[in-house]
Structure formats: C-alpha cells, structure tokens
Amino acid sequence: MKTIKEPARDIPVRAEADVLVVGGGPAGIMAAEAAAGDGLRVMLVESRGFLGGNLTIGLPILGFLGRKGNQIIEGSAQRFIDRLRARGAASEHRPCKNHMSLTIIDEEEVKRTALEIMEEKGVEVLLYTFFADAIREGDAVKGVVVESKAGREAILAKTVIDCKGDGDVAYLARVECRKGDAEGGMQPPTLMFCMKGVDVQRLRDAIVGHPDVYDMDVMPPEQFRTGKFITVGLRTQIRQAQAAGYRIPVARTILITGLADDEIWVNMSRVSGVDSTRPESYTYGEIEGRKQIYEIARYLREFVPGFADARIEKVAPFMGIRESRVIVGRYVLTAEDIIACRRFGDAIAVAGYPVDIHHAKGGDCTMHFCDDSYDIPYRCLLPERVAGLLVAGRCSSMNHEAMASTRVMSTCMALGEAAGRAARLALKAGVQPADLDVEALRAELRATGAYLG
C-alpha cells in the first residue's frame, strides 16, 4: 500500500478520566452506569448521535430467560427494561422455544432512557466522537485518541473499557484478536426494517391453523396464539418465491412483532462476506442490505398472510453485525463450555442463549442448545498481558462458536455491567482489573441484583 508521512504533532488532552468507556451500545451503557459512583470521573465516547447501539435497530432482546424458563439476566439490564416498561416501551420476557425468551423494545425510548441514566449517574457523554487509537505505554493502556469536529484529541484514563463490538481499542492496543471460523468466515450481518399495516392476526391464524403450510421449524404453533412472537420458518413460501424469480437471501422467514398492533420487524436481509472492521466491506454490506429489503418486502406482500397491504415504515440506522473481532483473553470461552453448561469459580454472568451460527455462506443457520444455562468467567473480559483495559460485549474472549451464543444483547448487557463494576472496584482497591478480588466483584454483582446462579 502506498503511504505518506504524517508530521509529528502534539495532541491536546481533552480530559483525564478514572474510567473511560468506548462505545455506547448495550454493553457500553451498562458499563458506564456500573462504573459511576465513589466520586469517580466516568466518561462514555460514542461515534453516533445517540446511545443504544443494537438496542436501537429493531431487534428484540433475546435470552433474558434460560432454557428452564427462569430469569438468568437481571441486575442493571432488568432495571433498564423496567424503566422502558414504565413508559409502555417494552414487553414482558416471553418464553420462546428457539430463543429462550423474547423482549420487544421501543428503539426511540431506548435512546432517551440511556441518556437519562447517564445524566443521573453523572457520566460525561461525548457523542459524534470517533475512537482513533489506543494510548499504550509499556504493557498498559493509558487512554485513547479520538477524532471529532474539534480535531484529534486524547482522553487519558486509569481504566479503559472497550465496548466497541469490533474490539477496536483492544486491537489498536496490540491485544491478540481473532476473527471468524478456521477459514476466516464470519456470520453475515442483517439490515433490519419495519413494516406497518400488517394484519398480524391473519398471520397468527395462518400459522396456528395451517402449520403444515406455514411451518415454524421446531417452534410449536400454540406459541403464536397470543402475545408477542418471532417466526422462524415459512421455508416453503421462500422456496415458492425463489422459484418465481424472487431473490431472497435466506432460507427462513424471520418476523418479529413490534409494540404496535400492526407492526412487524423483518430480520431477513443477509450480506455474506461482510467484515465490519474494513470500511469498504461494511459500506458494501449497507448498500446491498438496503437493496435486499425491498425485494424481501415484495416477497412478504405476495407470499405471507397478513402482508398484502403492508408498507415499509422505517429502516434501521445501521446493520446489525453478528460477528467480527474477539480478543484472546485470559480464558477463551468455547462451545463445549456452553453445551456442557459449565460453571466457573470466577463467573460474573450467566447466559443460556443457544449457539446460533448463521452460516458464513448460504442462507441458513445451525443452533445447538445447552440443557440449562452456563457461566461466563471474569477472565473473558481480561486481555492477556495488557493492563488498564477491560473488554465487554461480543468482542470479549470467546471462540467463533461460543460467540454465536454470547453475542445477544442481554448477555452483552450483563458483561458490560460486570466490566463497569470491576473497573470501579479495582480503582477503589488501588489494583489493576486483572488483580481484583473476583469474590468482591461477585459479591457486589449479587448485592446489586445480578444473577450468578
């Protein structure tokens, strides 16, 4: 690659924080909230003009409940849902055979609620501010470099929490990172969109009354009689559409009821080969995903009951990325750990969502289930040999298969809370996060409502 030489320059230090959270998605919101307190200066940097990340793109939150129907994600994540429910902006946790549970949320109220929490907790938020580089001295991260309309600036911090999803801070801090399966294949992203004017009752009646025609894979028709639901099936309808010349990129019709009675969110676009850490690839994904949604909407109107008069109401502000970088931490969680429902002495979260791998090639996916739930150890948040840094969310230390379970938002919220509390407790104790007494962390998580089994 051709290069130019950039002149050396002094970068102004915008601020010095105790805890700096980079990325304001599900993990980042929880991390910043949990880190605040004890007189610490906590900052949150986000590149978009709002907080919430994937909570704002029309996806339901999956996995608050475990395989046995008990609630396994609680603490700050549940309190966030409680605030939304108080405004009529979230549903109950509805059990679901495929997804453990389904929680519908209002994406605009997420943005409002997240900012309110940051204000209440005294977290300093910087929007429209892009992470550009990590500041590493020796074996420790000392802060980050950011870019904004104000130019290039530094924010120094005693502890940085990487909640970027793509592990950007860890990567530029020279933490070992990996992407994808053995061949580098990653789960493809989806650009969500919302349709209004859907006759949801007609769709419900078709699934319940004619399961032989409108199949739902392993999901029982009775699940669709009442309440909010998600469809995973209608394979015959897709095959019929493809035979008629429709270009449908997936093998299954995935539809999610919204909070409004005539609202359906559609999770069916799929752009294989997208790497969200490469801007040209990410750009291609956004463009191709937008093209796909109009063909998918045409398919739904023609082949799926209840959609004849439906219209596209809105498109998510960005693609939902299922997979990119993960760090290699002090422990790498595996699918074997998940399937075996493994327990760990340093567990800081419990999860139960299946290993749900959307194939890197083709339009289908594979799901493997744990019989109950599994633990996620604190070591998954800790990079090897790099101090001053915690990594929370889907970029934590998991292998390709395990990340297909831990990537869902409920789990990311739990990991974010654990990272934020760890950062605060470590500073209070005068130690690095890696040297924190994990029992003290676990005790605080339990005392503040988190479920650890």
Side-chain angles (χ1 to χ4, degrees):
M1 180 182 291
K2 186 176 181 180
T3 63
I4 64 168
K5 187 174 290 293
E6 185 177 21
R9 55 177 168 162
D10 293 331
I11 298 175
V13 175
R14 166 178 277 273
E16 296 186 44
D18 293 300
V19 179
L20 172 64
V21 180
V22 183
I29 296 168
M30 298 295 109
E33 178 186 4
D38 296 334
L40 299 182
R41 185 179 186 183
V42 178
M43 298 184 70
L44 173 60
V45 170
E46 169 56 47
S47 60
R48 298 184 174 96
F50 54 87
L51 299 181
N54 280 357
L55 290 165
T56 70
I57 66 173
L59 287 166
I61 306 180
L62 308 176
F64 264 94
L65 306 183
R67 189 71 184 268
K68 296 183 176 180
N70 60 311
Q71 186 161 343
I72 57 175
I73 303 291
E74 297 185 352
S76 293
Q78 180 57 48
R79 288 189 287 274
F80 192 88
I81 297 300
D82 290 341
R83 291 179 69 134
L84 292 178
R85 277 195 193 134
R87 290 174 167 158
S91 71
E92 298 296 320
H93 304 313
R94 176 100 192 271
C96 177
K97 184 175 177 65
N98 259 20
H99 307 94
M100 303 305 95
S101 65
L102 180 74
T103 310
I104 309 297
I105 54 174
D106 183 296
E107 68 279 4
E108 293 303 324
E109 286 295 343
V110 163
K111 300 173 188 177
R112 173 188 180 189
T113 300
L115 287 170
E116 284 179 348
I117 292 171
M118 296 304 102
E119 185 174 14
E120 291 166 7
K121 294 293 184 179
V123 176
E124 300 175 46
V125 177
L126 279 178
L127 302 176
Y128 304 110
T129 304
F130 292 82
F131 166 78
D133 202 358
I135 302 170
R136 176 171 166 169
E137 296 178 6
D139 291 331
V141 172
K142 297 294 186 179
V144 304
V145 176
V146 296
E147 294 267 10
S148 69
K149 298 281 184 163
R152 193 169 175 88
E153 300 173 304
I155 300 176
L156 304 181
K158 296 173 183 174
T159 304
V160 176
I161 307 177
D162 184 351
C163 296
K164 284 286 289 175
D166 294 325
D168 295 338
V169 180
Y171 175 73
L172 289 177
R174 304 192 301 282
V175 173
E176 183 182 355
C177 296
R178 296 172 182 168
K179 282 191 296 188
D181 58 21
E183 299 177 352
M186 291 180 282
Q187 297 188 67
T190 291
L191 182 61
M192 297 285 294
F193 66 99
C194 174
M195 298 191 76
K196 281 289 194 74
V198 181
D199 186 342
V200 174
Q201 188 59 48
R202 186 178 176 198
L203 173 62
R204 192 190 302 276
D205 291 343
I207 294 169
V208 174
H210 304 282
D212 54 325
V213 177
Y214 304 104
D215 66 292
M216 285 297 113
D217 286 7
V218 301
M219 304 169 79
E222 292 73 23
Q223 187 169 306
F224 301 93
R225 288 189 185 278
T226 59
K228 302 300 180 183
F229 63 82
I230 179 170
T231 73
V232 181
L234 298 168
R235 292 175 183 265
T236 300
Q237 284 61 46
I238 287 181
R239 287 193 293 267
Q240 290 172 348
Q242 290 171 334
Y246 286 67
R247 299 181 305 278
I248 308 299
V250 290
R252 308 170 306 162
T253 305
I254 304 178
L255 308 171
I256 304 129
T257 49
L259 289 172
D261 291 339
D262 67 339
E263 179 181 273
I264 290 284
W265 282 89
V266 184
N267 182 355
M268 290 179 63
S269 68
R270 174 170 294 190
V271 189
S272 296
V274 170
D275 182 346
S276 60
T277 68
R278 294 169 51 230
E280 71 280 10
S281 180
Y282 205 168
T283 300
Y284 163 73
E286 290 280 352
I287 294 171
E288 179 61 24
R290 193 165 288 271
K291 290 177 181 177
Q292 289 180 4
I293 65 176
Y294 295 98
E295 184 78 340
I296 293 165
R298 192 167 73 97
Y299 150 72
L300 292 171
R301 293 189 194 101
E302 184 67 24
F303 290 90
V304 179
F307 281 86
D309 299 319
R311 66 188 185 279
I312 295 177
E313 174 75 6
K314 52 191 168 184
V315 179
F318 57 90
M319 297 192 87
I321 301 298
R322 289 186 174 90
E323 181 175 14
S324 60
R325 291 192 198 102
V326 293
I327 68 162
V328 177
R330 299 193 174 207
Y331 186 83
V332 178
L333 194 73
T334 68
E336 290 75 19
D337 293 330
I338 292 172
I339 301 304
C341 302
R342 189 169 178 194
R343 304 302 171 191
F344 295 91
D346 62 338
I348 43 76
V350 174
Y353 190 74
V355 176
D356 179 9
I357 302 178
H358 291 246
H359 299 168
K361 298 176 183 177
D364 216 334
C365 82
T366 302
M367 302 184 85
H368 303 282
F369 294 83
C370 165
D371 288 336
D372 185 2
S373 60
Y374 62 90
D375 289 350
I376 301 176
Y378 179 52
R379 288 164 291 162
C380 288
L381 310 183
L382 297 171
E384 283 195 306
R385 296 182 296 277
V386 177
L389 179 65
L390 288 153
V391 181
R394 64 175 171 83
C395 50
S396 298
S397 182
M398 328 285 179
N399 70 5
H400 167 70
E401 293 80 13
M403 198 278 302
S405 170
T406 61
R407 63 182 171 82
V408 294
M409 291 185 284
S410 61
T411 305
C412 289
M413 294 169 86
L415 295 179
E417 178 180 6
R421 295 197 184 282
R424 181 169 48 77
L425 290 176
L427 287 173
K428 188 175 179 181
V431 300
Q432 285 292 326
D435 299 321
L436 177 64
D437 177 1
V438 73
E439 283 306 319
L441 172 58
R442 284 163 51 81
E444 170 151 330
L445 284 166
R446 283 197 178 98
T448 51
Y451 177 82
L452 296 182

